[in-house]
Amino acid sequence: QVQLVESGGGLVQAGGSLRLSCAASGRTFSTLGMGWFRQAPGTQREFVAVISWNGGLTYSTSYAESVKDRFSISRDNAKNTAYLQLNSQKAEDTAVYYCAATTARGRRIAPPDYSSWGQGTQVTVSS
């Protein structure tokens, strides 16, 4: 019963930046864990980043090794929205990026951990 809508994808040159947004509705947002995943043609969907609910109004972030020094995840609970900032982009970042939500507390990095998914937004990095 969580609906997610991504936006902000597009075409960017290598070394450039994009900011993706994920708007959530359907239940209380502040207690959801929010993750970002990506999938290129012919590949498995892979973990990118997560901002995990730790109880109360505390959160923690985790990143895939390939993006941890370049991307950042954040959330604005007043707007029911999660964000992914993509900096210093490389051609291998080209993929469909998906937002996902989990009602489970704590860190989640695998697709089966998530029960709600957005439709995806295309990111293309030219080189």
Side-chain angles (χ1 to χ4, degrees):
Q1 198 69 76
V2 180
Q3 293 79 47
L4 304 173
V5 180
E6 302 100 330
S7 61
L11 176 66
V12 64
Q13 296 179 19
S17 298
L18 286 173
R19 191 185 197 192
L20 309 182
S21 298
C22 175
S25 62
R27 63 153 291 146
T28 302
F29 179 75
S30 62
T31 59
L32 294 174
M34 300 298 298
W36 286 94
F37 296 79
R38 67 187 183 185
Q39 187 169 21
T43 72
Q44 295 286 309
R45 190 166 300 186
E46 66 174 354
F47 168 75
V48 175
V50 61
I51 183 162
S52 307
W53 181 54
N54 296 327
L57 293 178
T58 62
Y59 304 90
S60 297
T61 59
S62 296
Y63 299 91
E65 188 70 22
S66 60
V67 308
K68 68 176 183 179
D69 295 323
R70 301 184 294 119
F71 295 2
S72 64
I73 188 170
S74 61
R75 66 195 295 156
D76 186 338
N77 289 343
K79 297 181 178 180
N80 290 349
T81 301
Y83 304 93
L84 184 69
Q85 180 71 39
L86 297 77
N87 297 323
S88 302
Q89 290 192 72
K90 306 174 180 179
E92 51 263 43
D93 294 325
T94 296
V96 177
Y97 283 71
Y98 296 92
C99 178
T102 178
T103 58
R105 192 184 74 87
R107 183 171 177 263
R108 298 288 186 270
I109 65 171
D113 296 330
Y114 293 82
S115 57
S116 299
W117 294 83
Q119 82 288 350
T121 185
Q122 177 71 47
V123 172
T124 302
V125 183
S126 63
S127 61

